[in-house]
Amino acid sequence: MATYRKRGSTWQVQIRVKGQPPLSRSFPTKAAGQAWVESEEKALKGGAVKIPHGVTLRCLWSEYLTVTDSNTDKAFIKTFINRSLFLDKPVAKLTAPDFIAYRDEQLKTVKKSSYNRSIKPLLGAFRYAVEIKRFPSDCADCLKTTKLKAKATKRRRRFWDHEERAFSLACSNPTLAAVVVVLVETAMRSGELWLVKKANVRKGMIYIPEEDTKTKKPRTIALSPRALKAVDILKAQSATEMLVSASSCVLKKAFRLVCKEAGIVNLHMHDLRHEGLSRMSEQGFGPAEMMSQSGHTQLNQLGDYIHGNPVLIQKKLLALSRLEGNPLVEPEIYLGHLHSNMSVPMLSEAQPTP
């Protein structure tokens, strides 16, 4: 079905066919639009088109790089281009063994989960070819068959209070110490913090423009008194217009060295984001408030960053039992049992001390 709309001196034409994405174009005359509709409807009703023999994998990737807005997709595809040996093979002749050989070579240096993540942008390029160029829907099967079953690798690490104290004592770099405080207090992405300008810090808030956020949506991050003090330190330490003048690579390397000196194991800088959101949850902040701080757009994404503290949960259970007036065991026995079991690892990660 086609619709025609007169917009100024041009005609806007849109075609809708069940099971196919809508197509839209503008023409100087209605007659030109009608001619286009006739040719396109015939092609759409006939289903997917045959993949042209001249379309190679290199052509498909290059075209997708020009249309995607995802910097992550661009980076992964450029990496694939540098490592692939069959870029000039026609898409119509691609087979599973082509990608299996690539996968096996990659697994020598990366984990299964890393490989699965790296082919998502490649599948996105195939999806673009199916939806926009109307290639057969099974053209990506040769790549899909290489996906591996990998163990869940979602991080559940928290930055416990005693670790934060140890880190603070071991850290002699005021910029790094302030960065850690800001990341914990705001739960923002470290990549966004590196892009913040001093001018974007106003009235106790950090204003992040859409071009500097992962979701490409502007965001306002509220600062706690502790975070605001850390921001003032960052301003004083930075000699440029940026809030954090030191490079992310330098600070992350320094972060690892301080953790090692403080005896903190298995802690990544991104875990500070987990800690920040977990603390906000424990302090009673609602999902909407936490998503406003973190920039998440879906609740299930937010849930991956919130991890309860078993010790705090047990203390709340004890308090609830006291309110009910019928504790199952004496409070002293309950707390003694709690402390005697603190050597048991929590969440397969480092645990808090009592």
Side-chain angles (χ1 to χ4, degrees):
M1 179 180 178
T3 56
Y4 301 82
R5 294 180 181 177
K6 180 71 166 157
R7 294 291 178 88
S9 60
T10 62
W11 284 85
Q12 185 184 67
V13 185
Q14 185 178 71
I15 304 174
R16 290 183 176 274
V17 176
K18 187 176 182 180
Q20 300 286 350
L23 297 176
S24 299
R25 280 189 62 181
S26 297
F27 298 90
T29 64
K30 186 175 182 180
Q34 290 172 333
W36 175 74
V37 167
E38 290 179 3
S39 62
E40 288 295 324
E41 283 188 336
K42 186 180 295 184
L44 286 171
K45 290 177 181 178
V49 300
K50 185 178 180 180
I51 302 176
H53 181 76
V55 177
T56 64
L57 199 56
R58 187 190 301 274
C59 295
L60 179 58
W61 290 167
S62 299
E63 183 173 344
Y64 183 64
L65 286 174
T66 64
V67 298
T68 181
D69 294 327
S70 172
N71 291 328
T72 302
D73 283 12
K74 291 179 180 178
F76 273 119
I77 289 178
K78 288 178 180 178
T79 299
F80 178 85
I81 289 175
N82 293 334
R83 296 176 179 175
S84 174
L85 300 176
F86 50 93
L87 277 176
D88 295 318
K89 189 171 183 178
V91 174
K93 293 187 176 182
L94 287 173
T95 61
D98 291 327
F99 288 100
I100 289 174
Y102 169 78
R103 178 196 66 189
D104 294 344
E105 184 64 26
Q106 291 301 297
L107 290 178
K108 294 178 181 179
T109 56
V110 302
K111 296 180 180 179
K112 293 180 179 179
S113 57
S114 297
Y115 171 77
N116 287 343
R117 185 166 59 251
S118 71
I119 65 172
K120 283 185 178 180
L122 309 183
L123 291 171
F126 275 115
R127 186 166 56 250
Y128 161 79
V130 172
E131 296 177 354
I132 305 301
K133 301 177 72 66
R134 302 198 300 279
F135 282 10
S137 59
D138 61 351
C139 66
D141 288 353
C142 55
L143 176 58
K144 289 179 181 178
T145 55
T146 70
K147 191 173 182 180
L148 299 167
K149 289 186 177 180
K151 294 182 180 179
T153 57
K154 292 181 180 179
R155 299 276 296 178
R156 295 182 62 82
R157 183 68 161 90
R158 290 194 57 176
F159 188 35
W160 302 108
D161 290 340
H162 69 281
E163 292 178 325
E164 188 172 0
R165 290 193 294 270
F167 185 94
S168 180
L169 291 173
C171 183
S172 59
N173 185 333
T175 297
L176 176 60
V179 163
V180 169
V181 170
V182 172
L183 293 178
V184 170
E185 290 291 311
T186 63
M188 67 188 297
R189 299 180 181 93
S190 60
E192 293 174 343
L193 180 58
W194 311 138
L195 298 175
V196 173
K197 296 179 180 179
K198 293 178 181 178
N200 289 341
V201 182
R202 304 187 299 274
K203 298 181 179 180
M205 307 276 187
I206 293 179
Y207 298 89
I208 307 181
E210 59 183 17
E211 61 269 18
D212 292 341
T213 65
K214 183 178 179 180
T215 58
K216 301 304 177 185
K217 296 179 180 179
R219 195 163 87 257
T220 300
I221 299 175
L223 296 174
S224 67
R226 184 168 176 242
L228 194 55
K229 184 177 179 180
V231 166
D232 289 338
I233 294 174
L234 290 176
K235 285 183 177 180
Q237 293 292 320
S238 175
T240 68
E241 64 172 352
M242 307 305 295
L243 182 63
V244 182
S245 58
S247 72
S248 60
C249 294
V250 170
L251 287 177
K252 287 181 179 180
K253 182 178 180 179
F255 178 82
R256 292 192 294 269
L257 291 175
V258 173
C259 285
K260 184 177 181 180
E261 185 179 344
I264 303 172
V265 298
N266 192 28
L267 183 69
H268 302 169
M269 185 171 280
H270 191 67
D271 295 330
L272 305 181
R273 181 165 160 84
H274 291 243
E275 179 63 25
L277 286 169
S278 297
R279 289 185 185 183
M280 290 182 69
S281 176
E282 291 168 351
Q283 293 165 0
F285 285 84
E289 296 168 316
M290 289 187 284
M291 291 171 74
S292 175
Q293 287 285 100
S294 67
H296 287 116
T297 56
Q298 297 181 15
L299 281 174
N300 62 332
Q301 295 174 336
L302 177 67
D304 290 340
Y305 282 80
I306 299 175
H307 319 299
N309 184 341
V311 175
L312 183 60
I313 293 172
Q314 284 187 310
K315 289 182 178 179
K316 288 182 177 180
L317 289 173
L318 174 60
L320 180 62
S321 180
R322 284 172 170 169
L323 286 175
E324 292 176 346
N326 185 29
L328 297 179
V329 296
E330 292 298 324
E332 292 75 13
I333 299 176
Y334 183 81
L335 291 175
H337 179 72
L338 166 64
H339 292 172
S340 67
N341 284 280
M342 285 310 299
S343 60
V344 179
M346 293 184 174
L347 305 175
S348 300
E349 303 282 1
Q351 69 276 6
T353 55

